[in-house]
Amino acid sequence: GVDDAGVGRGFATLVLNDDGWLDLVKRDLEGPDTIHQSMCGDEGWLRIRLHQAAPNTFAVGARVEVRVGDDTQQRTVVAGGTSYGYGGPPEVHFGLGKTDVVDALVVYWPQGTRTDFTDLEARQSLDIHLPET
């Protein structure tokens, strides 16, 4: 349902309605922007936003790792342009399939420290702050 003949200049994947599902936004040079809102069901997901002191308040460069059983997924927090004409929100998103509980979540902060979490429920947005030392 996202195939179209328009001339695209920028394609974004982000959560627009806080339901945890990545929605698609396309910038079309010859017409209106197109939004494809995901209606995906009850599959598991995690949306993570990191916070720390200035100047890098969104922890750009941090690596986030999620472990479920023997499977591991990793994402890096980025900001600015991630494709032509688009810079998405500085957050990470994990698709978890049928998973209800994440065994481990590890944040590797840009400063070199690490924060660990265990037994987290899926289907939630988390705001994680760098612990003060």
Side-chain angles (χ1 to χ4, degrees):
V2 295
D3 187 22
D4 62 60
V7 178
R9 286 293 186 267
F11 191 83
T13 56
L14 66 159
V15 179
L16 291 172
N17 58 353
D18 287 327
D19 67 354
W21 294 100
L22 289 172
D23 303 304
L24 308 174
V25 179
K26 178 187 167 212
R27 173 68 186 115
D28 193 323
L29 290 179
E30 298 176 339
D33 296 342
T34 306
I35 297 174
H36 299 277
Q37 195 168 15
S38 297
M39 305 290 189
C40 297
D42 62 355
E43 300 293 305
W45 53 271
L46 273 181
R47 177 184 180 195
I48 300 166
R49 294 175 290 241
L50 300 179
H51 307 275
Q52 63 180 25
N56 186 7
T57 58
F58 296 116
V60 173
R63 184 169 48 93
V64 181
E65 187 175 278
V66 168
R67 295 185 203 130
V68 176
D70 292 331
D71 296 327
T72 301
Q73 296 184 49
Q74 295 181 28
R75 305 281 185 276
T76 301
V77 178
V78 296
T82 55
S83 71
Y84 182 78
Y86 167 71
E91 61 189 33
V92 295
H93 187 278
F94 294 91
L96 301 173
K98 300 290 184 195
T99 298
D100 292 320
V101 176
V102 171
D103 297 327
L105 183 147
V106 182
V107 178
Y108 298 93
W109 298 92
Q111 299 84 337
T113 59
R114 162 185 174 155
T115 305
D116 294 84
F117 302 89
T118 58
D119 300 321
L120 295 171
E121 289 186 27
R123 298 173 196 83
Q124 65 173 321
S125 294
L126 298 172
D127 283 282
I128 300 174
H129 296 261
L130 175 66
E132 294 186 25
T133 55

